[in-house]
Amino acid sequence: GGNRGMTRVTDAAPPLDGKIAWRVQLQPPVTTPIVTDGRALYVAFPEAQKVVALSTDDGRELWSIETTGQTDHAMALAGNIVYVQVRGGGLLALFTSTGATVWTGPGDRALTATPTIVDGVLWAGMRGRLVAFDAETGDILGESTIGSRFVRLRPAVDARHVTVAKTDTLLIFDSTTAERTFQARFPGLQYVAITGDTVLAVSDRQLVAF
């Protein structure tokens, strides 16, 4: 969390012992995590409503696109596609090489967390719903209701299960049928992960393995 206030902000300097290869001034400020595939850094500028790809070699701009709204969450990467959530504009799938649009998701399905892509399926958390998209086409493969609240963390997914965190509840779904198989009250959820047949859930007070 960075500090006691869980702001993810710290005044500590990062341990950079090597020479600086290049430096780029980012304006306006970046407020969501930067993602990379090794070839490029994909940077979202929520205030400016744009996404930029920068070369990891020298920091030069590879491409830039404008979005129709702010990007509230970190982007997701899978293969040669980067997925961008846009407030009021649904989901954008862009080619990492050019920034060209692969597909766009329906604007009425706003994501409430970064999506997760596994085996060609993009799992997206929304208000009251967990939705599975075909990662290559954007077609909706299925969805499940999760109640009135929204998905607040990136879904944890493996070949058999999808784990979803609401504000105070942990939900586990079958990744093939999208049926809910388990539910546990878990106030203060901060992180969820899957390893083998175990789901790990972390709050600010405890870690529990299911």
Side-chain angles (χ1 to χ4, degrees):
N3 57 21
R4 292 180 62 86
M6 303 299 291
T7 63
R8 296 183 179 273
V9 175
T10 175
D11 293 330
L16 299 178
D17 299 326
K19 293 177 58 179
I20 295 176
W22 51 265
R23 187 191 304 270
V24 173
Q25 187 68 34
L26 299 179
Q27 292 290 342
V30 174
T31 56
T32 58
I34 294 172
V35 296
T36 182
D37 56 7
R39 168 189 165 273
L41 300 168
Y42 303 96
V43 187
F45 295 89
E47 292 183 12
Q49 298 186 9
K50 68 177 181 178
V51 174
V52 177
L54 304 175
S55 169
T56 56
D57 290 333
D58 52 19
R60 62 189 170 85
E61 184 177 302
L62 300 176
W63 52 260
S64 173
I65 67 154
E66 294 184 356
T67 61
T68 57
Q70 292 191 20
T71 51
D72 297 318
H73 309 291
M75 293 175 279
L77 278 166
N80 63 341
I81 300 177
V82 60
Y83 301 88
V84 185
Q85 175 270 339
V86 179
R87 184 189 301 180
L91 188 62
L92 292 177
L94 310 173
F95 283 120
T96 56
S97 56
T98 63
T101 300
V102 182
W103 55 264
T104 59
D108 63 338
R109 293 174 178 263
L111 274 64
T112 58
T114 299
T116 300
I117 304 97
V118 174
D119 295 334
V121 179
L122 183 146
W123 297 92
M126 302 177 181
R127 180 174 291 276
R129 291 173 294 182
L130 171 69
V131 182
F133 292 88
D134 185 306
E136 293 186 356
T137 66
D139 294 335
I140 295 177
L141 303 177
E143 60 181 278
S144 297
T145 59
I146 63 167
S148 60
R149 299 196 178 188
F150 57 86
V151 176
R152 66 179 302 269
L153 299 175
R154 184 175 190 163
V157 183
D158 67 4
R160 296 174 54 196
H161 305 101
V162 181
T163 303
V164 173
K166 297 197 296 182
T167 303
D168 58 359
T169 309
L170 179 75
L171 305 171
I172 299 178
F173 296 84
D174 185 295
S175 61
T176 302
T177 65
E179 293 183 2
R180 187 184 304 177
T181 60
F182 182 78
Q183 177 174 327
R185 181 167 172 76
F186 205 100
L189 268 166
Q190 300 291 334
Y191 307 97
V192 292
I194 293 180
T195 174
D197 289 329
T198 303
V199 172
L200 302 174
V202 183
S203 74
D204 53 355
R205 296 188 178 185
Q206 60 184 339
L207 181 148
V208 178
F210 296 94

